[in-house]
Amino acid sequence: MGDLTETLSVENVVGSTALEQELDLESLADDLDGVSYNPDQFPGLVSRTTDPKAASLIFRSGKVVCTGASSTENLTEAVELTFGKLRRLGLDVPDDPEVTIQNIVTSGDLGTRLNLNAIAIGFGLEAVEYEPEQFPGLVYRSDELDVVVLLFGSGKLVITGGSQPSDAEDAIEAVQARLIDLGLLE
């Protein structure tokens, strides 16, 4: 079957940090280029970076949530670029912001079609949500994993809830081993 960790691809990294001060978002929206602020639609100011591609959501409280990055390194770089924009406006912001990874979404492929009905029974109904009329994937929450794994009949999977890239590697290896033990994967 090969090393399934090679099929893993980080799709989105979400992290947060703080400026440790209240912000006037209306003024920031006027002074910063390339930002959008529509408080009737969303309570935060959105600052986008293109290289790396990400969006920083800046809130009045000073909390910053960065999303859309393709790696933890890109997330940190996007936050630093956003903080640099704020620093150039004269705001007192941390030189080395502490970024907490909130979620890493990773996709992967088991390389074969899956019988989700058999997996739901084999994995145990207490660890599985599977309602094909509502959603085409099986949601697997194992007590042994720090993530949630969505399995699809195509053999593709999505791993969410990780805080480091190795969480997805551990998950795909655990799912593969469990499926082999159940005789549902060769």
Side-chain angles (χ1 to χ4, degrees), residues 4-14 69-72 103-109 147-152 156-172:
L4 293 179
T5 61
E6 292 177 10
T7 73
L8 294 175
S9 172
V10 174
E11 304 297 333
N12 185 25
V13 180
V14 179
S70 59
S71 69
T72 55
N103 186 21
I104 299 176
V105 179
T106 307
S107 64
D109 192 346
V147 296
V148 174
V149 181
L150 286 70
L151 295 160
F152 297 90
K156 304 263 194 255
L157 51 82
V158 174
I159 302 162
T160 186
S163 59
Q164 50 196 6
S166 62
D167 291 339
E169 295 170 6
D170 295 344
I172 198 168

PDB file of all heavy atoms in Angstrom, residues 4-14 69-72 103-109 147-152 156-172:
ATOM      1  N   LEU A   4       1.308   6.075   3.158  1.00  0.00           N
ATOM      2  CA  LEU A   4       0.163   6.958   2.947  1.00  0.00           C
ATOM      3  C   LEU A   4       0.433   8.386   3.401  1.00  0.00           C
ATOM      4  O   LEU A   4      -0.253   9.316   2.962  1.00  0.00           O
ATOM      5  CB  LEU A   4      -1.072   6.409   3.661  1.00  0.00           C
ATOM      6  CG  LEU A   4      -1.625   5.103   3.107  1.00  0.00           C
ATOM      7  CD1 LEU A   4      -2.835   4.656   3.906  1.00  0.00           C
ATOM      8  CD2 LEU A   4      -1.976   5.240   1.639  1.00  0.00           C
ATOM      9  N   THR A   5       1.424   8.593   4.264  1.00  0.00           N
ATOM     10  CA  THR A   5       1.717   9.956   4.697  1.00  0.00           C
ATOM     11  C   THR A   5       2.162  10.820   3.516  1.00  0.00           C
ATOM     12  O   THR A   5       2.011  12.037   3.553  1.00  0.00           O
ATOM     13  CB  THR A   5       2.782   9.995   5.817  1.00  0.00           C
ATOM     14  OG1 THR A   5       3.998   9.429   5.331  1.00  0.00           O
ATOM     15  CG2 THR A   5       2.300   9.252   7.058  1.00  0.00           C
ATOM     16  N   GLU A   6       2.656  10.164   2.447  1.00  0.00           N
ATOM     17  CA  GLU A   6       3.057  10.924   1.255  1.00  0.00           C
ATOM     18  C   GLU A   6       1.865  11.502   0.506  1.00  0.00           C
ATOM     19  O   GLU A   6       2.022  12.409  -0.313  1.00  0.00           O
ATOM     20  CB  GLU A   6       3.903  10.046   0.331  1.00  0.00           C
ATOM     21  CG  GLU A   6       5.254   9.695   0.936  1.00  0.00           C
ATOM     22  CD  GLU A   6       6.076   8.770   0.064  1.00  0.00           C
ATOM     23  OE1 GLU A   6       5.701   8.530  -1.102  1.00  0.00           O
ATOM     24  OE2 GLU A   6       7.107   8.286   0.551  1.00  0.00           O
ATOM     25  N   THR A   7       0.651  10.989   0.774  1.00  0.00           N
ATOM     26  CA  THR A   7      -0.549  11.521   0.118  1.00  0.00           C
ATOM     27  C   THR A   7      -1.096  12.740   0.858  1.00  0.00           C
ATOM     28  O   THR A   7      -2.010  13.404   0.364  1.00  0.00           O
ATOM     29  CB  THR A   7      -1.673  10.464   0.029  1.00  0.00           C
ATOM     30  OG1 THR A   7      -2.249  10.239   1.328  1.00  0.00           O
ATOM     31  CG2 THR A   7      -1.173   9.169  -0.573  1.00  0.00           C
ATOM     32  N   LEU A   8      -0.564  13.026   2.035  1.00  0.00           N
ATOM     33  CA  LEU A   8      -1.096  14.118   2.846  1.00  0.00           C
ATOM     34  C   LEU A   8      -0.731  15.485   2.272  1.00  0.00           C
ATOM     35  O   LEU A   8       0.392  15.707   1.839  1.00  0.00           O
ATOM     36  CB  LEU A   8      -0.586  14.021   4.286  1.00  0.00           C
ATOM     37  CG  LEU A   8      -1.062  12.807   5.079  1.00  0.00           C
ATOM     38  CD1 LEU A   8      -0.388  12.762   6.442  1.00  0.00           C
ATOM     39  CD2 LEU A   8      -2.576  12.816   5.222  1.00  0.00           C
ATOM     40  N   SER A   9      -1.718  16.371   2.297  1.00  0.00           N
ATOM     41  CA  SER A   9      -1.520  17.731   1.824  1.00  0.00           C
ATOM     42  C   SER A   9      -2.221  18.692   2.780  1.00  0.00           C
ATOM     43  O   SER A   9      -3.431  18.558   3.022  1.00  0.00           O
ATOM     44  CB  SER A   9      -2.105  17.879   0.414  1.00  0.00           C
ATOM     45  OG  SER A   9      -2.092  19.221   0.003  1.00  0.00           O
ATOM     46  N   VAL A  10      -1.471  19.637   3.327  1.00  0.00           N
ATOM     47  CA  VAL A  10      -2.077  20.631   4.222  1.00  0.00           C
ATOM     48  C   VAL A  10      -2.917  21.578   3.373  1.00  0.00           C
ATOM     49  O   VAL A  10      -2.426  22.163   2.407  1.00  0.00           O
ATOM     50  CB  VAL A  10      -0.998  21.403   5.011  1.00  0.00           C
ATOM     51  CG1 VAL A  10      -1.629  22.530   5.815  1.00  0.00           C
ATOM     52  CG2 VAL A  10      -0.231  20.461   5.927  1.00  0.00           C
ATOM     53  N   GLU A  11      -4.185  21.705   3.723  1.00  0.00           N
ATOM     54  CA  GLU A  11      -5.115  22.554   2.985  1.00  0.00           C
ATOM     55  C   GLU A  11      -5.302  23.914   3.640  1.00  0.00           C
ATOM     56  O   GLU A  11      -5.529  24.908   2.961  1.00  0.00           O
ATOM     57  CB  GLU A  11      -6.478  21.867   2.853  1.00  0.00           C
ATOM     58  CG  GLU A  11      -6.425  20.486   2.211  1.00  0.00           C
ATOM     59  CD  GLU A  11      -5.919  20.496   0.780  1.00  0.00           C
ATOM     60  OE1 GLU A  11      -6.073  21.513   0.086  1.00  0.00           O
ATOM     61  OE2 GLU A  11      -5.340  19.480   0.343  1.00  0.00           O
ATOM     62  N   ASN A  12      -5.236  23.953   4.977  1.00  0.00           N
ATOM     63  CA  ASN A  12      -5.496  25.201   5.692  1.00  0.00           C
ATOM     64  C   ASN A  12      -4.882  25.118   7.079  1.00  0.00           C
ATOM     65  O   ASN A  12      -4.982  24.086   7.741  1.00  0.00           O
ATOM     66  CB  ASN A  12      -7.005  25.435   5.799  1.00  0.00           C
ATOM     67  CG  ASN A  12      -7.363  26.773   6.431  1.00  0.00           C
ATOM     68  OD1 ASN A  12      -6.595  27.718   6.396  1.00  0.00           O
ATOM     69  ND2 ASN A  12      -8.549  26.839   7.017  1.00  0.00           N
ATOM     70  N   VAL A  13      -4.258  26.212   7.495  1.00  0.00           N
ATOM     71  CA  VAL A  13      -3.749  26.325   8.857  1.00  0.00           C
ATOM     72  C   VAL A  13      -4.375  27.579   9.459  1.00  0.00           C
ATOM     73  O   VAL A  13      -4.383  28.636   8.829  1.00  0.00           O
ATOM     74  CB  VAL A  13      -2.206  26.434   8.888  1.00  0.00           C
ATOM     75  CG1 VAL A  13      -1.702  26.549  10.323  1.00  0.00           C
ATOM     76  CG2 VAL A  13      -1.565  25.242   8.193  1.00  0.00           C
ATOM     77  N   VAL A  14      -4.914  27.428  10.670  1.00  0.00           N
ATOM     78  CA  VAL A  14      -5.521  28.549  11.379  1.00  0.00           C
ATOM     79  C   VAL A  14      -4.760  28.750  12.681  1.00  0.00           C
ATOM     80  O   VAL A  14      -4.503  27.791  13.411  1.00  0.00           O
ATOM     81  CB  VAL A  14      -7.012  28.273  11.695  1.00  0.00           C
ATOM     82  CG1 VAL A  14      -7.627  29.448  12.452  1.00  0.00           C
ATOM     83  CG2 VAL A  14      -7.791  27.977  10.424  1.00  0.00           C
ATOM     84  N   ALA A  69      -3.520  29.781   5.383  1.00  0.00           N
ATOM     85  CA  ALA A  69      -2.115  29.462   5.103  1.00  0.00           C
ATOM     86  C   ALA A  69      -1.974  27.981   4.767  1.00  0.00           C
ATOM     87  O   ALA A  69      -2.783  27.150   5.189  1.00  0.00           O
ATOM     88  CB  ALA A  69      -1.239  29.819   6.305  1.00  0.00           C
ATOM     89  N   SER A  70      -0.935  27.646   4.019  1.00  0.00           N
ATOM     90  CA  SER A  70      -0.727  26.255   3.612  1.00  0.00           C
ATOM     91  C   SER A  70       0.327  25.539   4.453  1.00  0.00           C
ATOM     92  O   SER A  70       0.629  24.371   4.206  1.00  0.00           O
ATOM     93  CB  SER A  70      -0.342  26.191   2.137  1.00  0.00           C
ATOM     94  OG  SER A  70       0.842  26.930   1.917  1.00  0.00           O
ATOM     95  N   SER A  71       0.872  26.226   5.450  1.00  0.00           N
ATOM     96  CA  SER A  71       1.822  25.602   6.374  1.00  0.00           C
ATOM     97  C   SER A  71       1.913  26.470   7.624  1.00  0.00           C
ATOM     98  O   SER A  71       1.514  27.641   7.608  1.00  0.00           O
ATOM     99  CB  SER A  71       3.219  25.474   5.743  1.00  0.00           C
ATOM    100  OG  SER A  71       3.811  26.752   5.584  1.00  0.00           O
ATOM    101  N   THR A  72       2.457  25.891   8.688  1.00  0.00           N
ATOM    102  CA  THR A  72       2.619  26.679   9.912  1.00  0.00           C
ATOM    103  C   THR A  72       3.628  27.808   9.692  1.00  0.00           C
ATOM    104  O   THR A  72       3.471  28.896  10.232  1.00  0.00           O
ATOM    105  CB  THR A  72       3.050  25.779  11.092  1.00  0.00           C
ATOM    106  OG1 THR A  72       4.241  25.065  10.737  1.00  0.00           O
ATOM    107  CG2 THR A  72       1.955  24.795  11.461  1.00  0.00           C
ATOM    108  N   ASN A 103      -5.834  25.070  14.397  1.00  0.00           N
ATOM    109  CA  ASN A 103      -6.370  23.982  13.582  1.00  0.00           C
ATOM    110  C   ASN A 103      -5.529  23.829  12.318  1.00  0.00           C
ATOM    111  O   ASN A 103      -5.169  24.820  11.685  1.00  0.00           O
ATOM    112  CB  ASN A 103      -7.825  24.297  13.196  1.00  0.00           C
ATOM    113  CG  ASN A 103      -8.507  23.165  12.467  1.00  0.00           C
ATOM    114  OD1 ASN A 103      -8.110  22.008  12.543  1.00  0.00           O
ATOM    115  ND2 ASN A 103      -9.557  23.493  11.732  1.00  0.00           N
ATOM    116  N   ILE A 104      -5.247  22.582  11.975  1.00  0.00           N
ATOM    117  CA  ILE A 104      -4.618  22.263  10.699  1.00  0.00           C
ATOM    118  C   ILE A 104      -5.549  21.282   9.985  1.00  0.00           C
ATOM    119  O   ILE A 104      -5.911  20.251  10.548  1.00  0.00           O
ATOM    120  CB  ILE A 104      -3.218  21.634  10.878  1.00  0.00           C
ATOM    121  CG1 ILE A 104      -2.283  22.605  11.600  1.00  0.00           C
ATOM    122  CG2 ILE A 104      -2.637  21.231   9.521  1.00  0.00           C
ATOM    123  CD1 ILE A 104      -0.907  22.031  11.918  1.00  0.00           C
ATOM    124  N   VAL A 105      -5.951  21.646   8.765  1.00  0.00           N
ATOM    125  CA  VAL A 105      -6.799  20.780   7.952  1.00  0.00           C
ATOM    126  C   VAL A 105      -5.924  20.155   6.869  1.00  0.00           C
ATOM    127  O   VAL A 105      -5.244  20.863   6.130  1.00  0.00           O
ATOM    128  CB  VAL A 105      -7.963  21.569   7.306  1.00  0.00           C
ATOM    129  CG1 VAL A 105      -8.813  20.648   6.443  1.00  0.00           C
ATOM    130  CG2 VAL A 105      -8.811  22.248   8.377  1.00  0.00           C
ATOM    131  N   THR A 106      -5.943  18.832   6.813  1.00  0.00           N
ATOM    132  CA  THR A 106      -5.093  18.086   5.894  1.00  0.00           C
ATOM    133  C   THR A 106      -5.960  17.103   5.112  1.00  0.00           C
ATOM    134  O   THR A 106      -6.887  16.519   5.662  1.00  0.00           O
ATOM    135  CB  THR A 106      -4.028  17.296   6.697  1.00  0.00           C
ATOM    136  OG1 THR A 106      -3.350  18.197   7.567  1.00  0.00           O
ATOM    137  CG2 THR A 106      -3.028  16.632   5.787  1.00  0.00           C
ATOM    138  N   SER A 107      -5.638  16.933   3.828  1.00  0.00           N
ATOM    139  CA  SER A 107      -6.333  15.921   3.035  1.00  0.00           C
ATOM    140  C   SER A 107      -5.359  14.789   2.729  1.00  0.00           C
ATOM    141  O   SER A 107      -4.148  14.972   2.747  1.00  0.00           O
ATOM    142  CB  SER A 107      -6.887  16.519   1.743  1.00  0.00           C
ATOM    143  OG  SER A 107      -5.830  16.972   0.923  1.00  0.00           O
ATOM    144  N   GLY A 108      -5.916  13.622   2.463  1.00  0.00           N
ATOM    145  CA  GLY A 108      -5.097  12.469   2.133  1.00  0.00           C
ATOM    146  C   GLY A 108      -5.908  11.471   1.328  1.00  0.00           C
ATOM    147  O   GLY A 108      -7.094  11.693   1.045  1.00  0.00           O
ATOM    148  N   ASP A 109      -5.279  10.361   0.966  1.00  0.00           N
ATOM    149  CA  ASP A 109      -5.936   9.376   0.118  1.00  0.00           C
ATOM    150  C   ASP A 109      -5.468   7.974   0.518  1.00  0.00           C
ATOM    151  O   ASP A 109      -4.265   7.703   0.532  1.00  0.00           O
ATOM    152  CB  ASP A 109      -5.588   9.649  -1.347  1.00  0.00           C
ATOM    153  CG  ASP A 109      -6.439   8.879  -2.333  1.00  0.00           C
ATOM    154  OD1 ASP A 109      -7.138   7.929  -1.918  1.00  0.00           O
ATOM    155  OD2 ASP A 109      -6.391   9.223  -3.526  1.00  0.00           O
ATOM    156  N   VAL A 147      -7.399  14.366  16.620  1.00  0.00           N
ATOM    157  CA  VAL A 147      -8.019  14.967  15.445  1.00  0.00           C
ATOM    158  C   VAL A 147      -9.333  14.261  15.129  1.00  0.00           C
ATOM    159  O   VAL A 147      -9.643  13.221  15.701  1.00  0.00           O
ATOM    160  CB  VAL A 147      -7.084  14.875  14.217  1.00  0.00           C
ATOM    161  CG1 VAL A 147      -5.813  15.682  14.430  1.00  0.00           C
ATOM    162  CG2 VAL A 147      -6.764  13.431  13.880  1.00  0.00           C
ATOM    163  N   VAL A 148     -10.074  14.829  14.198  1.00  0.00           N
ATOM    164  CA  VAL A 148     -11.272  14.206  13.657  1.00  0.00           C
ATOM    165  C   VAL A 148     -10.950  13.835  12.210  1.00  0.00           C
ATOM    166  O   VAL A 148     -10.351  14.634  11.482  1.00  0.00           O
ATOM    167  CB  VAL A 148     -12.476  15.171  13.712  1.00  0.00           C
ATOM    168  CG1 VAL A 148     -13.691  14.568  13.023  1.00  0.00           C
ATOM    169  CG2 VAL A 148     -12.794  15.538  15.157  1.00  0.00           C
ATOM    170  N   VAL A 149     -11.343  12.626  11.801  1.00  0.00           N
ATOM    171  CA  VAL A 149     -11.057  12.151  10.455  1.00  0.00           C
ATOM    172  C   VAL A 149     -12.382  11.969   9.715  1.00  0.00           C
ATOM    173  O   VAL A 149     -13.287  11.298  10.215  1.00  0.00           O
ATOM    174  CB  VAL A 149     -10.279  10.819  10.472  1.00  0.00           C
ATOM    175  CG1 VAL A 149      -9.969  10.350   9.061  1.00  0.00           C
ATOM    176  CG2 VAL A 149      -8.996  10.956  11.291  1.00  0.00           C
ATOM    177  N   LEU A 150     -12.477  12.594   8.553  1.00  0.00           N
ATOM    178  CA  LEU A 150     -13.632  12.401   7.676  1.00  0.00           C
ATOM    179  C   LEU A 150     -13.199  11.458   6.575  1.00  0.00           C
ATOM    180  O   LEU A 150     -12.242  11.746   5.848  1.00  0.00           O
ATOM    181  CB  LEU A 150     -14.083  13.732   7.066  1.00  0.00           C
ATOM    182  CG  LEU A 150     -14.816  14.707   7.980  1.00  0.00           C
ATOM    183  CD1 LEU A 150     -13.885  15.299   9.007  1.00  0.00           C
ATOM    184  CD2 LEU A 150     -15.447  15.803   7.167  1.00  0.00           C
ATOM    185  N   LEU A 151     -13.878  10.319   6.457  1.00  0.00           N
ATOM    186  CA  LEU A 151     -13.579   9.316   5.437  1.00  0.00           C
ATOM    187  C   LEU A 151     -14.667   9.342   4.377  1.00  0.00           C
ATOM    188  O   LEU A 151     -15.854   9.449   4.706  1.00  0.00           O
ATOM    189  CB  LEU A 151     -13.529   7.915   6.055  1.00  0.00           C
ATOM    190  CG  LEU A 151     -12.423   7.665   7.070  1.00  0.00           C
ATOM    191  CD1 LEU A 151     -12.752   6.471   7.934  1.00  0.00           C
ATOM    192  CD2 LEU A 151     -11.120   7.436   6.342  1.00  0.00           C
ATOM    193  N   PHE A 152     -14.281   9.215   3.116  1.00  0.00           N
ATOM    194  CA  PHE A 152     -15.225   9.213   2.006  1.00  0.00           C
ATOM    195  C   PHE A 152     -15.110   7.902   1.240  1.00  0.00           C
ATOM    196  O   PHE A 152     -14.046   7.269   1.234  1.00  0.00           O
ATOM    197  CB  PHE A 152     -14.969  10.415   1.095  1.00  0.00           C
ATOM    198  CG  PHE A 152     -15.192  11.735   1.810  1.00  0.00           C
ATOM    199  CD1 PHE A 152     -14.151  12.363   2.472  1.00  0.00           C
ATOM    200  CD2 PHE A 152     -16.448  12.310   1.842  1.00  0.00           C
ATOM    201  CE1 PHE A 152     -14.356  13.560   3.152  1.00  0.00           C
ATOM    202  CE2 PHE A 152     -16.671  13.498   2.519  1.00  0.00           C
ATOM    203  CZ  PHE A 152     -15.622  14.127   3.177  1.00  0.00           C
ATOM    204  N   LYS A 156     -10.700   8.965  -0.183  1.00  0.00           N
ATOM    205  CA  LYS A 156     -10.121  10.244   0.249  1.00  0.00           C
ATOM    206  C   LYS A 156     -10.504  10.486   1.700  1.00  0.00           C
ATOM    207  O   LYS A 156     -11.513   9.978   2.194  1.00  0.00           O
ATOM    208  CB  LYS A 156     -10.648  11.383  -0.615  1.00  0.00           C
ATOM    209  CG  LYS A 156     -10.400  11.192  -2.092  1.00  0.00           C
ATOM    210  CD  LYS A 156      -9.175  11.920  -2.527  1.00  0.00           C
ATOM    211  CE  LYS A 156      -9.100  12.029  -4.025  1.00  0.00           C
ATOM    212  NZ  LYS A 156      -8.156  11.165  -4.640  1.00  0.00           N
ATOM    213  N   LEU A 157      -9.700  11.269   2.384  1.00  0.00           N
ATOM    214  CA  LEU A 157     -10.020  11.629   3.757  1.00  0.00           C
ATOM    215  C   LEU A 157      -9.576  13.047   4.052  1.00  0.00           C
ATOM    216  O   LEU A 157      -8.718  13.606   3.368  1.00  0.00           O
ATOM    217  CB  LEU A 157      -9.422  10.634   4.753  1.00  0.00           C
ATOM    218  CG  LEU A 157      -7.948  10.251   4.676  1.00  0.00           C
ATOM    219  CD1 LEU A 157      -7.071  11.271   5.358  1.00  0.00           C
ATOM    220  CD2 LEU A 157      -7.751   8.921   5.334  1.00  0.00           C
ATOM    221  N   VAL A 158     -10.209  13.627   5.055  1.00  0.00           N
ATOM    222  CA  VAL A 158      -9.861  14.953   5.542  1.00  0.00           C
ATOM    223  C   VAL A 158      -9.617  14.817   7.040  1.00  0.00           C
ATOM    224  O   VAL A 158     -10.419  14.200   7.748  1.00  0.00           O
ATOM    225  CB  VAL A 158     -10.983  15.976   5.265  1.00  0.00           C
ATOM    226  CG1 VAL A 158     -10.659  17.326   5.901  1.00  0.00           C
ATOM    227  CG2 VAL A 158     -11.210  16.131   3.770  1.00  0.00           C
ATOM    228  N   ILE A 159      -8.513  15.383   7.493  1.00  0.00           N
ATOM    229  CA  ILE A 159      -8.146  15.321   8.905  1.00  0.00           C
ATOM    230  C   ILE A 159      -8.157  16.746   9.425  1.00  0.00           C
ATOM    231  O   ILE A 159      -7.491  17.625   8.873  1.00  0.00           O
ATOM    232  CB  ILE A 159      -6.745  14.687   9.071  1.00  0.00           C
ATOM    233  CG1 ILE A 159      -6.732  13.292   8.456  1.00  0.00           C
ATOM    234  CG2 ILE A 159      -6.343  14.657  10.542  1.00  0.00           C
ATOM    235  CD1 ILE A 159      -5.351  12.743   8.175  1.00  0.00           C
ATOM    236  N   THR A 160      -8.929  16.984  10.473  1.00  0.00           N
ATOM    237  CA  THR A 160      -9.063  18.338  10.999  1.00  0.00           C
ATOM    238  C   THR A 160      -8.903  18.334  12.516  1.00  0.00           C
ATOM    239  O   THR A 160      -9.125  17.317  13.168  1.00  0.00           O
ATOM    240  CB  THR A 160     -10.413  18.962  10.573  1.00  0.00           C
ATOM    241  OG1 THR A 160     -10.443  20.327  10.974  1.00  0.00           O
ATOM    242  CG2 THR A 160     -11.594  18.219  11.172  1.00  0.00           C
ATOM    243  N   GLY A 161      -8.500  19.467  13.046  1.00  0.00           N
ATOM    244  CA  GLY A 161      -8.361  19.594  14.490  1.00  0.00           C
ATOM    245  C   GLY A 161      -6.941  19.437  14.989  1.00  0.00           C
ATOM    246  O   GLY A 161      -6.696  19.532  16.190  1.00  0.00           O
ATOM    247  N   GLY A 162      -6.007  19.225  14.094  1.00  0.00           N
ATOM    248  CA  GLY A 162      -4.613  19.057  14.515  1.00  0.00           C
ATOM    249  C   GLY A 162      -3.978  20.379  14.906  1.00  0.00           C
ATOM    250  O   GLY A 162      -4.424  21.450  14.487  1.00  0.00           O
ATOM    251  N   SER A 163      -2.943  20.293  15.709  1.00  0.00           N
ATOM    252  CA  SER A 163      -2.196  21.498  16.071  1.00  0.00           C
ATOM    253  C   SER A 163      -0.753  21.435  15.581  1.00  0.00           C
ATOM    254  O   SER A 163       0.002  22.387  15.747  1.00  0.00           O
ATOM    255  CB  SER A 163      -2.223  21.721  17.585  1.00  0.00           C
ATOM    256  OG  SER A 163      -1.655  20.610  18.246  1.00  0.00           O
ATOM    257  N   GLN A 164      -0.389  20.303  14.986  1.00  0.00           N
ATOM    258  CA  GLN A 164       0.922  20.156  14.362  1.00  0.00           C
ATOM    259  C   GLN A 164       0.793  19.172  13.205  1.00  0.00           C
ATOM    260  O   GLN A 164      -0.065  18.290  13.237  1.00  0.00           O
ATOM    261  CB  GLN A 164       1.972  19.702  15.370  1.00  0.00           C
ATOM    262  CG  GLN A 164       1.582  18.505  16.183  1.00  0.00           C
ATOM    263  CD  GLN A 164       2.467  18.353  17.400  1.00  0.00           C
ATOM    264  OE1 GLN A 164       3.302  19.192  17.692  1.00  0.00           O
ATOM    265  NE2 GLN A 164       2.290  17.265  18.121  1.00  0.00           N
ATOM    266  N   PRO A 165       1.632  19.323  12.182  1.00  0.00           N
ATOM    267  CA  PRO A 165       1.504  18.453  10.997  1.00  0.00           C
ATOM    268  C   PRO A 165       1.581  16.963  11.315  1.00  0.00           C
ATOM    269  O   PRO A 165       0.930  16.156  10.651  1.00  0.00           O
ATOM    270  CB  PRO A 165       2.672  18.902  10.115  1.00  0.00           C
ATOM    271  CG  PRO A 165       2.912  20.327  10.506  1.00  0.00           C
ATOM    272  CD  PRO A 165       2.633  20.377  11.990  1.00  0.00           C
ATOM    273  N   SER A 166       2.321  16.578  12.334  1.00  0.00           N
ATOM    274  CA  SER A 166       2.455  15.154  12.667  1.00  0.00           C
ATOM    275  C   SER A 166       1.135  14.542  13.130  1.00  0.00           C
ATOM    276  O   SER A 166       0.957  13.322  13.066  1.00  0.00           O
ATOM    277  CB  SER A 166       3.540  14.948  13.724  1.00  0.00           C
ATOM    278  OG  SER A 166       3.192  15.622  14.914  1.00  0.00           O
ATOM    279  N   ASP A 167       0.175  15.377  13.584  1.00  0.00           N
ATOM    280  CA  ASP A 167      -1.128  14.844  13.992  1.00  0.00           C
ATOM    281  C   ASP A 167      -1.811  14.135  12.823  1.00  0.00           C
ATOM    282  O   ASP A 167      -2.435  13.096  12.996  1.00  0.00           O
ATOM    283  CB  ASP A 167      -2.039  15.961  14.516  1.00  0.00           C
ATOM    284  CG  ASP A 167      -1.564  16.527  15.851  1.00  0.00           C
ATOM    285  OD1 ASP A 167      -0.812  15.839  16.562  1.00  0.00           O
ATOM    286  OD2 ASP A 167      -1.950  17.665  16.168  1.00  0.00           O
ATOM    287  N   ALA A 168      -1.709  14.702  11.616  1.00  0.00           N
ATOM    288  CA  ALA A 168      -2.327  14.091  10.430  1.00  0.00           C
ATOM    289  C   ALA A 168      -1.607  12.797  10.066  1.00  0.00           C
ATOM    290  O   ALA A 168      -2.250  11.810   9.671  1.00  0.00           O
ATOM    291  CB  ALA A 168      -2.307  15.066   9.260  1.00  0.00           C
ATOM    292  N   GLU A 169      -0.281  12.776  10.188  1.00  0.00           N
ATOM    293  CA  GLU A 169       0.477  11.555   9.896  1.00  0.00           C
ATOM    294  C   GLU A 169       0.068  10.437  10.846  1.00  0.00           C
ATOM    295  O   GLU A 169      -0.173   9.300  10.418  1.00  0.00           O
ATOM    296  CB  GLU A 169       1.982  11.837   9.998  1.00  0.00           C
ATOM    297  CG  GLU A 169       2.471  12.815   8.957  1.00  0.00           C
ATOM    298  CD  GLU A 169       3.894  13.296   9.195  1.00  0.00           C
ATOM    299  OE1 GLU A 169       4.574  12.782  10.118  1.00  0.00           O
ATOM    300  OE2 GLU A 169       4.325  14.200   8.460  1.00  0.00           O
ATOM    301  N   ASP A 170      -0.035  10.763  12.140  1.00  0.00           N
ATOM    302  CA  ASP A 170      -0.452   9.772  13.124  1.00  0.00           C
ATOM    303  C   ASP A 170      -1.853   9.253  12.800  1.00  0.00           C
ATOM    304  O   ASP A 170      -2.126   8.055  12.913  1.00  0.00           O
ATOM    305  CB  ASP A 170      -0.447  10.366  14.535  1.00  0.00           C
ATOM    306  CG  ASP A 170       0.948  10.750  15.010  1.00  0.00           C
ATOM    307  OD1 ASP A 170       1.940  10.296  14.407  1.00  0.00           O
ATOM    308  OD2 ASP A 170       1.040  11.523  15.989  1.00  0.00           O
ATOM    309  N   ALA A 171      -2.742  10.166  12.381  1.00  0.00           N
ATOM    310  CA  ALA A 171      -4.129   9.790  12.107  1.00  0.00           C
ATOM    311  C   ALA A 171      -4.238   8.861  10.909  1.00  0.00           C
ATOM    312  O   ALA A 171      -4.935   7.840  10.979  1.00  0.00           O
ATOM    313  CB  ALA A 171      -4.975  11.045  11.889  1.00  0.00           C
ATOM    314  N   ILE A 172      -3.565   9.189   9.810  1.00  0.00           N
ATOM    315  CA  ILE A 172      -3.706   8.340   8.616  1.00  0.00           C
ATOM    316  C   ILE A 172      -3.106   6.960   8.868  1.00  0.00           C
ATOM    317  O   ILE A 172      -3.647   5.954   8.426  1.00  0.00           O
ATOM    318  CB  ILE A 172      -3.130   9.012   7.338  1.00  0.00           C
ATOM    319  CG1 ILE A 172      -3.697   8.313   6.077  1.00  0.00           C
ATOM    320  CG2 ILE A 172      -1.628   9.033   7.342  1.00  0.00           C
ATOM    321  CD1 ILE A 172      -3.427   9.052   4.776  1.00  0.00           C
TER     322      ILE A 172
END
